[in-house]
Amino acid sequence: MKDLKPRQIVTELDKYIIGQKDAKKSVAIALRNRWRRRQLDNDLQEEIAPKNIILIGPTGVGKTEIARRLANLANSPFYKVEASKFTEVGYVGRDVESMIRDIVELTVNNLRARQQEAVQEKAAGIAEERILDILLPPSSQTGASISNDLDIIATEQGEEDPKPTASTREKLRKMLRSGKLDSRQVDLEVADKSSPMVEIFSNTGIEEMGINVKDMLGNLMPKNTKRRKVKIKDAIKLLTQEEAAHLVDMDQVKTEAVNMVEQSGIIFIDEIDKIAGKEKSQGPEVSKEGVQRDLLPIVEGSSVPTKYGTVKTDHILFIASGAFHVSKPSDLIPELQGRFPIRVELTSLGAHEFTRILTEPKNALILQYIALLRTEGIEIEFTNDAIEKIASIAEEVNSSTENIGARRLHTIMEKLLEDILFAAPDIEEKNIVIDASFVKKQLTDIVENEDLTRYIL
């Protein structure tokens, strides 16, 4: 983060997201401020709260993508959740604290996988020794018979007679590493991954009961294992995974995960406009304001119990987004508005932005289709006028029907190339040029017929 300046953050985001300079600038400042806070004295660190952001704009303009790419840049714990999934306390559904439990769970899994990857070499060495122990048990009688068996295999494989001084175990190791024993089968004790007989279901998570029931039962009951015959090649992989899991210090992983979430976690709350607005009726249905009131202490800063320990949410960065077609940000309860001091309005996309989206990003849509058809041996080329025509149609359809932003390009591209994608394995002509006339021929009839446009594009 020290080398990731706000200007560089915006440059990195430009590789994937077209336009929306104001939104990129705001999130770049928020990310840099997190690094700045960590350079201060501990007392002052605690006083500086993150400046949460609300991104306002229609669907498909890059709100979610900005947050996701930002988290990847900072290598921070990131979790996306829809506000409309939550219900207030007392109703069946997900409570707002579940987002904290989920981001911690996700971070623990990622850290565990990363640490297992780091000890793969050591785990592979231990797995090799375990395989050798299976192939060559300590019993001298069995060892002698295995040794004779190995001599026979070595002869069959065309090897020279082993040296008298070489130990049987080293001969076995040499053959194991060369792959000559890959097809042989061994008996291996593996964990039985079948479902347990007792399952406990809870809407709000077992950790809220103050004790992890699954872990408690797991400690009391013997672990299920079953004996399987597997090829040595597969046995090495299984044992390497098992040993890598044993080598990871899970206590350290849990502590580090909780600290990462507390200090650099980013939670993206989508569709926040769906819980804004005045109540239309006084019935007993779930209250939108009730969800906002439950959300407030999480965003404000509170302690949430999880099975990995208590997580303080004071310094988690919350980025909310919504289209706000029906409601307005001012319809949120005042306390929640105050916790999202930065508001950025994202602009709708036009033909010019669509043209850039089709060609400029590293994962541009046209490059994706070129790569997909290249697997069939077909080289497809889009002319500039074809790209401009596609962008123009996308803008036209968005203005005449619902505005779904850049997502309209996916619909149009799929419809445009439908026949080619279907017949690709049988097409003899391997070089295809897509020009404006081809685009017009494929799409004009649908665009001009408004009823068809609503259902197809």
Side-chain angles (χ1 to χ4, degrees):
M1 276 300 300
K2 183 180 178 181
D3 301 324
L4 209 55
K5 299 170 185 174
R7 202 178 301 278
Q8 290 171 310
I9 294 170
V10 171
T11 303
E12 286 297 318
L13 292 174
D14 282 341
K15 293 178 182 177
Y16 300 97
I17 301 141
I18 298 299
Q20 315 302 357
K21 288 185 179 178
D22 291 343
K24 291 174 183 172
K25 189 176 178 181
S26 294
V27 297
I29 292 169
L31 194 63
R32 185 66 178 182
N33 278 343
R34 315 201 82 186
W35 175 81
R36 290 167 179 153
R37 186 183 74 84
R38 288 201 289 271
Q39 310 312 307
L40 303 174
D41 295 335
N42 290 337
D43 293 341
L44 195 54
Q45 273 190 37
E46 291 301 315
E47 298 299 323
I48 297 176
K51 306 301 181 286
N52 299 320
I53 304 168
I54 289 186
L55 303 177
I56 304 164
T59 183
V61 296
K63 300 188 296 292
T64 308
E65 193 67 9
I66 285 172
R68 193 166 63 85
R69 296 290 177 185
L70 187 75
N72 288 343
L73 273 178
N75 197 23
S76 300
F78 176 76
Y79 185 67
K80 174 184 178 289
V81 69
E82 283 77 32
S84 52
K85 283 186 178 178
F86 296 128
T87 59
E88 60 180 317
V89 172
Y91 287 86
V92 173
R94 302 198 67 181
D95 68 312
V96 293
E97 288 187 356
S98 65
M99 70 170 99
I100 306 298
R101 294 194 292 269
D102 290 342
I103 192 174
V104 174
E105 186 75 45
L106 204 62
T107 308
V108 167
N109 291 340
N110 288 341
L111 280 178
R112 183 197 293 128
R114 206 179 302 164
Q115 293 206 12
Q116 285 182 3
E117 192 66 34
V119 297
Q120 278 295 306
E121 191 175 336
K122 186 175 180 182
I126 298 171
E128 184 182 88
E129 295 299 330
R130 285 182 63 181
I131 288 289
L132 291 174
D133 289 339
I134 293 169
L135 288 173
L136 196 65
S139 169
S140 58
Q141 186 177 354
T142 313
S145 64
I146 293 281
S147 177
N148 294 333
D149 190 21
L150 290 175
D151 291 341
I152 294 168
I153 293 171
T155 307
E156 286 175 355
Q157 298 285 353
E159 288 187 351
E160 297 177 3
D161 291 338
K163 295 179 182 178
T165 55
S167 70
T168 305
R169 191 178 182 89
E170 291 308 312
K171 287 189 289 180
L172 198 55
R173 191 191 305 277
K174 184 181 175 184
M175 293 174 69
L176 187 63
R177 289 179 177 174
S178 64
K180 291 173 181 174
L181 300 176
D182 283 355
S183 57
R184 290 193 73 180
Q185 291 194 329
V186 292
D187 287 331
L188 200 63
E189 291 279 350
V190 294
D192 188 2
K193 293 183 180 178
S194 59
S195 300
M197 292 178 67
V198 179
E199 281 284 358
I200 296 173
F201 297 93
S202 169
N203 289 328
T204 56
I206 289 173
E207 53 269 28
E208 285 198 355
M209 296 166 60
I211 187 166
N212 192 327
V213 180
K214 284 185 180 177
D215 284 354
M216 182 185 73
L217 291 177
N219 293 332
L220 294 175
M221 298 169 66
K223 292 188 177 180
N224 292 333
T225 57
K226 60 180 179 181
R227 203 167 187 81
R228 279 177 54 194
K229 270 194 176 297
V230 291
K231 290 184 177 179
I232 286 180
K233 185 178 181 180
D234 299 325
I236 290 175
K237 290 180 184 174
L238 287 170
L239 292 175
T240 301
Q241 290 173 2
E242 189 179 313
E243 291 300 331
H246 291 156
L247 288 170
V248 171
D249 183 354
M250 280 308 296
D251 289 336
Q252 182 189 345
V253 167
K254 291 172 187 177
T255 305
E256 191 178 338
V258 168
N259 186 57
M260 278 182 70
V261 169
E262 288 182 342
Q263 299 302 323
S264 59
I266 300 174
I267 293 182
F268 183 77
I269 306 173
D270 205 359
E271 310 288 0
I272 199 166
D273 55 317
K274 301 298 185 292
I275 60 168
K278 306 299 180 186
E279 300 299 327
K280 293 183 180 178
S281 66
Q282 298 298 321
E285 75 273 2
V286 178
S287 156
K288 292 178 181 179
E289 278 196 13
V291 177
Q292 292 183 56
R293 283 194 299 270
D294 291 345
L295 195 58
L296 181 62
I298 304 293
V299 178
E300 211 169 36
S302 61
S303 297
V304 178
T306 73
K307 63 181 177 182
Y308 300 111
T310 301
V311 177
K312 298 174 91 175
T313 66
D314 302 63
H315 300 291
I316 294 176
L317 176 65
F318 290 90
I319 302 176
S321 82
F324 290 98
H325 288 313
V326 179
S327 56
K328 306 182 293 296
S330 57
D331 290 333
L332 294 166
I333 60 175
E335 297 90 341
L336 194 59
Q337 288 183 52
R339 290 297 166 181
F340 287 90
I342 301 173
R343 296 182 190 177
V344 185
E345 190 166 353
L346 283 79
T347 54
S348 296
L349 304 174
H352 176 64
E353 287 81 16
F354 288 148
T355 303
R356 293 180 62 199
I357 287 168
L358 286 168
T359 54
E360 289 184 19
K362 288 179 73 174
N363 58 344
L365 202 53
I366 280 178
L367 297 179
Q368 292 178 26
Y369 280 99
I370 290 171
L372 284 172
L373 285 166
R374 196 170 282 155
T375 61
E376 302 276 7
I378 294 173
E379 289 295 330
I380 190 169
E381 181 188 345
F382 289 83
T383 62
N384 289 334
D385 58 347
I387 293 170
E388 288 171 6
K389 186 67 177 172
I390 293 167
S392 170
I393 290 173
E395 183 183 37
E396 184 183 339
V397 175
N398 271 349
S399 60
S400 62
T401 60
E402 288 293 331
N403 184 359
I404 60 170
R407 293 191 178 95
R408 184 73 67 189
L409 293 172
H410 290 271
T411 313
I412 289 174
M413 288 293 292
E414 201 65 28
K415 190 65 187 172
L416 175 68
L417 299 174
E418 186 178 41
D419 294 339
I420 296 174
L421 291 167
F422 180 79
D426 307 313
I427 292 177
E428 293 182 5
E429 178 57 51
K430 297 299 181 185
N431 294 303
I432 299 173
V433 176
I434 306 292
D435 55 17
S437 59
F438 180 87
V439 175
K440 194 173 179 181
K441 177 186 170 187
Q442 292 290 103
L443 299 176
T444 301
D445 290 343
I446 299 172
V447 173
E448 288 177 353
N449 188 328
E450 192 171 326
D451 290 335
L452 277 178
T453 301
R454 290 185 179 279
Y455 287 101
I456 296 175
L457 294 182

